[in-house]
Amino acid sequence: MYDPSVVEDRPDPAILDDLLSDADRLGFPSLNERLVREWHQKGLIGSPCRLSLGRGRGQAPALYSSEQRALFIAVVRNRARGYKYTTLATIPVWAWLNFGEDWVEMGQLRRALRTAIGPNPRRSVKAACKAANVLVCQIDLHHASYEARTRLRKEISAALNLGQVNYECLRAAVAGVYEPCGVAIVRGPAGAPLTVDSITALLDARIRGMKELYSATDEALLLARSRHQESWPEYQARQAAYSAEAGPQLASLFAPSDVTKQVEDSVSEVVLLLGIERQRTDRAAHMDAHR
C-alpha cells in the first residue's frame, strides 16, 4: 500500500494549491479545499505553518512541511486506489511511530487513531479483534475443537467490549486451544518462547491497550514510541533466526515485515505497546502495595 520513496525522496514544502495539483497529477482530481479540511479532521493530513511577511505586510500562504506533503502524496495515491479512510489513517500513525513529531504531531496522531479505530474503543475494536483472531489461528497447532476456538474468541471479544480481562478465564481459554491435550507446550525461538502464559499476556496487553488508547497521556504515547524504536531494530536483526527456530508451524509469527505490512500493523502496534506499559505499571503498583 505505502510507497517508501516518499520518505526517501521527500518533496518540497507546499501551499494548498500545490497539494491540489499533486492530487490531480496522482489521479484524484476531485480533491478540493473542503475535502482537505475533512482529511485534516480525520488525521490524514496535519496543520500547515503560517509565516508572517513582516510588520504590516500580513501573512504568507500557509505552508505544509516536506514531511506532510510526502504523507499527503501517499494518502492521495491510496485514496485514488479506493482505500477507505480507516486504512489511510494508518499511514500517519506509522510515520509518527517510526519518525516522530517532525512528521506527525500529537494532535494529528490522535485524530488518525480515532479514524483508524473508531470514535468509541469499546464499540469499535476491529483492529484488536483482528489481531487476536489471527493469533488464535496461529496457535492452533493441534487442531483444537471448534468449541475451544469459539470459547477463546468469545473470551477475547467479551474482554474487549468490557475493557477488562478475567485473566484466569482467558488463560484457560488459551490453554484449550494451545494445549488441547492438557500437556504443557513450549514452542518458538529461545528468545521469544510461546507458552500459554506468554500468549495470555500478549492478548491481555492488546485488550489493555484498547482500553488505554483514547485516555493515554502524551507521555504514555511517547514512551510507547520510544519502546518501539528501541525494540524494532533488534527484532529485525533477529527475525530470520527467530523464524528458523520457530519451525514451520509457527514461522508465520516471525515472518519478514515489509513497509506495507508495517503500515498495516501500526495501529495494532501502538495498542500493544500501550498495553504492555500498562501491565508494567500495574505490576509495579501491585508489588509496592505488598511490600
Side-chain angles (χ1 to χ4, degrees), residues 82-98:
Y83 285 99
K84 296 180 179 179
Y85 287 146
T86 51
T87 301
L88 299 176
T90 61
I91 295 174
V93 174
W94 170 82
W96 174 85
L97 194 58
N98 289 278

Side-chain angles (χ1 to χ4, degrees), residues 138-153:
Q138 289 170 326
I139 67 172
D140 184 14
L141 306 181
H142 299 286
H143 305 293
S145 68
Y146 172 80
E147 290 76 15
R149 296 195 304 273
T150 300
R151 177 189 177 191
L152 178 53
R153 289 192 174 96

Side-chain angles (χ1 to χ4, degrees), residues 232 235 239 243 250-258 261:
W232 182 244
Y235 172 78
Q239 176 271 319
S243 182
L250 293 172
S252 61
L253 286 170
F254 304 97
S257 181
D258 61 14
K261 184 70 164 58

Side-chain angles (χ1 to χ4, degrees), residues 18-36 38-39 44 72-83 85 88:
D18 295 325
L19 298 189
L20 298 180
S21 295
D22 288 340
D24 185 60
R25 172 175 56 83
L26 294 168
F28 197 64
S30 60
L31 190 72
N32 53 36
E33 186 173 352
R34 180 197 61 77
L35 196 52
V36 170
E38 181 181 330
W39 284 17
L44 305 183
F72 174 82
I73 288 171
V75 169
V76 168
R77 280 178 174 157
N78 288 287
R79 184 59 175 167
R81 295 169 184 163
Y83 285 99
Y85 287 146
L88 299 176

Side-chain angles (χ1 to χ4, degrees), residues 32-83:
N32 53 36
E33 186 173 352
R34 180 197 61 77
L35 196 52
V36 170
R37 287 197 298 271
E38 181 181 330
W39 284 17
H40 178 271
Q41 293 169 354
K42 293 183 179 297
L44 305 183
I45 188 170
S47 302
C49 296
R50 294 188 177 277
L51 304 176
S52 173
L53 294 173
R55 187 173 181 180
R57 298 177 63 187
Q59 291 184 321
L63 192 68
Y64 291 89
S65 68
S66 171
E67 293 85 355
Q68 279 293 318
R69 189 180 187 183
L71 293 176
F72 174 82
I73 288 171
V75 169
V76 168
R77 280 178 174 157
N78 288 287
R79 184 59 175 167
R81 295 169 184 163
Y83 285 99

Side-chain angles (χ1 to χ4, degrees), residues 224-254:
R225 187 180 72 194
S226 177
R227 300 285 192 195
H228 169 78
Q229 293 179 346
E230 290 170 3
S231 63
W232 182 244
E234 181 179 343
Y235 172 78
Q236 284 185 305
R238 297 183 178 182
Q239 176 271 319
Y242 280 164
S243 182
E245 289 179 43
Q249 286 184 304
L250 293 172
S252 61
L253 286 170
F254 304 97

Side-chain angles (χ1 to χ4, degrees), residues 166-182:
N166 183 322
Y167 199 87
E168 290 307 313
C169 287
L170 180 61
R171 188 187 186 283
V174 170
V177 173
Y178 194 58
E179 299 176 351
C181 299

